[in-house]
């Protein structure tokens, strides 16, 4: 209807652009389960379903503070024949667009908080339980979701951030973390997976005009069907991701709003049908021209004000 088109045309995401690609993605258990099953290559997580996942991030917010704002902690229930067991999956998903060489130490801080809280909880249930021989802390699997163009070159082991690690190795705590990069998959490989998470990663790979050109080669049918069959909450995530992309590419708000609104009304096929119109280079040039004109107007206004001040001064 006309009303629906007008509503879509004025689309404005509620989220701040900086966070559009971060916690919002992994807050959704359906996307998280697809990510863990299909992209981490960890056998223990091979059969994880959305109902096996509980987001416990807010529980640790008070302990971890501002640095934790865009990261997530998931409690995953592993179904075993001898009973359900809990595993914590720690994901740094703060939409890292570049390499963070101190990420292992950041992960260690998070892991220690989780274990400390787990110990306190178990001791409340049964006093002194953590001092018993058979007490075990839960497994934590640290994962970094990386969207940058450069190859991830940060050390994957904690000990490599500590001096004398070779000579004194047995005295140094250590662990490794896994990096899942959108760049480790080709567009063809992501298309073959044909799940909602693959479309998230395909969109997040777009950072340049060249990337946009490569995206145009992806199957329009695959993109449109994945979007069309996704639950409404995941469709909203797609729109927020695209909004974030358009903002980074300096697309004017009005243009971006129209693009996202049309996608909301017609589906992702709109991107392919109107890709020539969504010319990022042209939009950037339009922004530059608008900015130049605004600066010229400001300069003229300043000159007018200066002349008026001079006239006033002469009159006085």
């Amino acid at each position: 209807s006309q009303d629906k088109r007008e509503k879509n045309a004025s689309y404005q995401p509620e989220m701040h652009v900086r966070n559009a690609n971060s916690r919002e993605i992994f807050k959704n258990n359906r996307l998280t389960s697809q990510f863990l099953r299909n992209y981490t290559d960890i056998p223990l997580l091979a059969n994880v379903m959305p109902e096996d996942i509980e987001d416990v991030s807010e529980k640790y917010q008070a302990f971890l503070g501002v640095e934790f704002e865009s990261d997530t902690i998931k409690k995953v229930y592993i179904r075993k024949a001898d009973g359900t067991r809990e595993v914590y999956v720690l994901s740094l998903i703060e939409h890292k667009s570049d390499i963070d060489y101190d990420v292992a130490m950041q992960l260690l801080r998070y892991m220690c908080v989780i274990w400390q809280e787990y110990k306190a909880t178990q001791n409340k249930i049964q006093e002194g339980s953590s001092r018993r021989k058979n007490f075990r802390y839960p497994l934590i699997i640290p994962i970094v979701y990386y969207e940058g163009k450069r190859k991830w070159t940060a050390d994957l082991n904690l000990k490599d951030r500590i001096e004398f690690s070779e000579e004194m190795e047995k005295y140094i705590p250590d662990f490794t973390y896994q990096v899942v990069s959108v760049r480790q998959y080709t567009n063809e490989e992501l298309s073959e997976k044909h799940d909602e998470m693959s479309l998230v990663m395909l969109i997040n790979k777009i950072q340049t005009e060249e990337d946009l050109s490569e995206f145009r080669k992806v199957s329009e049918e695959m993109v449109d069907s994945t979007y069309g069959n996704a639950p409404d909450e995941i469709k909203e995530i797609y729109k927020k991701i695209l909004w974030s992309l358009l903002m980074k590419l300096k697309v004017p708000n009005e243009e971006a709003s129209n693009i996202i609104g049309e996608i909301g009304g017609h589906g992702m096929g709109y991107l392919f049908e109107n890709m020539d119109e969504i010319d990022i280079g042209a939009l950037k040039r339009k922004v530059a021209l608008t900015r130049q004109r605004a600066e010229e107007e400001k300069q003229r206004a300043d000159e007018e004000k200066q002349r008026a001040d001079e006239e006033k001064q002469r009159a006085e």
Side-chain angles (χ1 to χ4, degrees):
S1 68
Q2 180 66 28
D3 289 343
K4 184 175 181 181
R5 284 195 297 272
E6 288 176 359
K7 181 180 179 182
N8 285 329
S10 61
Y11 175 86
Q12 291 284 348
E14 296 176 6
M15 295 187 67
H16 191 282
V17 172
R18 184 177 66 84
N19 289 331
N21 286 3
S22 54
R23 180 176 287 184
E24 189 73 9
I25 297 170
F26 289 91
K27 190 166 64 176
N28 185 283
N29 287 346
R30 182 181 175 108
L31 291 175
T32 301
S33 65
Q34 292 174 2
F35 176 77
L36 296 176
R37 285 199 312 269
N38 300 331
Y39 300 95
T40 64
D41 196 27
I42 298 174
L44 189 65
L45 305 175
N47 299 310
V48 170
M49 301 302 290
E51 58 268 25
D52 300 327
I53 299 172
E54 179 186 356
D55 192 309
V56 293
S57 305
E58 290 187 11
K59 184 177 182 180
Y60 300 95
Q61 183 74 53
F63 299 99
L64 294 167
V66 175
E67 71 170 338
F68 182 67
E69 279 185 354
S70 55
D71 304 330
T72 63
I73 297 175
K74 297 287 189 179
K75 185 187 288 187
V76 180
Y77 297 92
I78 305 299
R79 315 291 179 182
K80 294 283 188 181
D82 57 347
T84 301
R85 301 170 71 177
E86 297 176 359
V87 171
Y88 287 79
V89 176
L90 179 58
S91 303
L92 289 190
I93 55 165
E94 54 184 307
H95 191 195
K96 289 190 179 296
S97 57
D98 207 350
I99 303 161
D100 183 348
Y101 289 96
D102 203 38
V103 75
M105 194 60 71
Q106 183 180 352
L107 285 163
L108 177 63
R109 288 194 294 273
Y110 291 3
M111 294 164 80
C112 288
V113 165
I114 295 170
W115 281 324
Q116 182 63 30
E117 195 280 333
Y118 180 84
K119 171 186 170 180
T121 300
Q122 296 305 310
N123 283 338
K124 284 180 182 177
I125 296 172
Q126 188 173 9
E127 188 176 351
S129 64
S130 64
R131 295 196 296 270
R132 297 180 180 177
K133 183 177 181 180
N134 63 348
F135 182 84
R136 293 292 182 273
Y137 288 90
L139 170 66
I140 301 175
I141 304 173
I143 300 171
V144 173
Y145 176 65
Y146 176 57
E147 297 176 350
K149 286 185 72 70
R150 294 197 297 159
K151 182 180 178 181
W152 186 269
T153 54
D155 294 318
L156 298 178
N157 287 80
L158 174 67
K159 66 179 177 63
D160 293 323
R161 295 292 289 176
I162 300 173
E163 288 206 68
F164 298 103
S165 60
E166 294 182 5
E167 305 96 299
M168 309 296 286
E169 184 176 4
K170 67 179 181 179
Y171 299 104
I172 298 173
D174 193 26
F175 67 87
T176 189
Y177 61 91
Q178 182 174 154
V179 176
V180 178
S181 170
V182 295
R183 297 279 167 181
Q184 74 191 62
Y185 298 97
T186 65
N187 286 0
E188 291 74 19
E189 289 170 333
L190 289 172
S191 298
E192 288 171 4
K193 291 184 182 290
H194 210 308
D195 57 25
E196 286 97 352
M197 190 63 202
S198 67
L199 183 52
V200 167
M201 295 171 76
L202 278 166
I203 297 170
N204 281 340
K205 286 183 73 176
I206 305 172
Q207 296 181 22
T208 65
E209 291 180 56
E210 182 183 352
D211 295 333
L212 184 62
S213 177
E214 287 300 310
F215 180 76
R216 296 177 70 170
K217 299 175 185 177
V218 174
S219 166
E220 177 184 346
E221 182 182 353
M222 173 266 168
V223 171
D224 204 33
S225 66
T226 301
Y227 176 87
N229 293 321
D232 288 343
E233 64 268 21
I234 294 182
K235 286 180 180 177
E236 284 303 308
I237 292 172
Y238 287 140
K239 287 190 280 187
K240 288 173 182 177
I241 293 171
L242 285 167
W243 177 270
S244 178
L245 168 67
L246 294 171
M247 291 300 98
K248 285 174 194 165
L249 293 171
K250 308 299 183 187
V251 176
N253 277 27
E254 186 179 353
E255 297 276 0
S257 180
N258 290 337
I259 291 169
I260 302 301
E262 288 298 330
I263 289 170
H266 302 286
M268 291 287 282
Y270 172 85
L271 272 179
F272 291 88
E273 293 167 13
N274 300 275
M275 196 70 82
D276 289 332
E277 294 177 22
I278 307 174
D279 183 341
I280 301 301
L283 288 169
K284 281 182 175 179
R285 290 189 291 274
K286 182 177 178 180
V287 172
L289 182 59
T290 302
R291 187 179 293 119
Q292 182 183 345
R293 286 173 178 168
E295 289 172 355
E296 289 172 354
E297 286 293 331
K298 183 178 182 300
Q299 186 176 350
R300 278 195 292 270
D302 289 343
E303 289 172 355
E304 287 292 334
K305 184 177 182 301
Q306 185 178 352
R307 279 195 292 271
D309 289 343
E310 289 171 354
E311 288 292 335
K312 182 182 177 183
Q313 190 174 1
R314 278 196 295 271
E316 289 173 348

